[in-house]
Amino acid sequence: NEFCHVGASGIAGFTSACVSTPADVVKTRLMNSAGGDRVYTGMLQAGSRILMDEGPAALYKGFLPICIRKLVWCAAFFVSYEQIRDQYKKTTL
C-alpha cells in the first residue's frame, strides 16, 4: 500500500511542478527587474514577453530542481500523512 502512496504522490509532485514552474519563472523575473529598469509591467506582460522573446522552454528553466524538490516533499508528506492517519484510526476505534 505504501508503494501506491509513493506512486500517487510522485504523480502529484510532477504535476505540481509542471503547473507551477512557469509562474515561478515569471515571478522571479518580475522580482529581479523591480530594483532597476522596469522590464516588465505585470505578470501577463512578463509571461507573454518571455514566450515571445525566448520561447516556451524559457518558462521551464529550473524545472529539474523544482521537480525533484516537489517529488521528495510530496512523497514524504503524503506517505507520512497516510501512516499517521492509519495509526490515529486504530487508536480511536
Side-chain angles (χ1 to χ4, degrees):
N1 201 12
E2 287 82 19
F3 292 115
C4 179
H5 293 169
V6 170
S9 63
I11 292 169
F14 179 76
T15 304
S16 172
C18 289
V19 171
S20 67
T21 300
D24 285 342
V25 168
V26 172
K27 176 191 65 101
T28 301
R29 298 277 185 98
L30 279 169
M31 290 173 62
N32 287 340
S33 72
D37 294 335
R38 297 207 72 156
V39 180
Y40 306 112
T41 58
M43 289 288 287
L44 293 176
Q45 190 267 343
S48 64
R49 181 121 179 247
I50 292 168
L51 276 173
M52 299 296 261
D53 294 347
E54 302 174 47
L59 292 174
Y60 286 93
K61 287 184 177 178
F63 177 76
L64 187 61
I66 290 171
C67 189
I68 290 170
R69 184 191 73 207
K70 288 189 181 252
L71 288 172
V72 171
W73 164 251
C74 285
F77 175 78
F78 286 116
V79 171
S80 299
Y81 172 77
E82 291 295 333
Q83 294 295 319
I84 291 168
R85 189 179 75 166
D86 289 344
Q87 290 301 319
Y88 180 74
K89 283 181 180 179
K90 287 179 187 176
T91 58
T92 58
L93 294 177

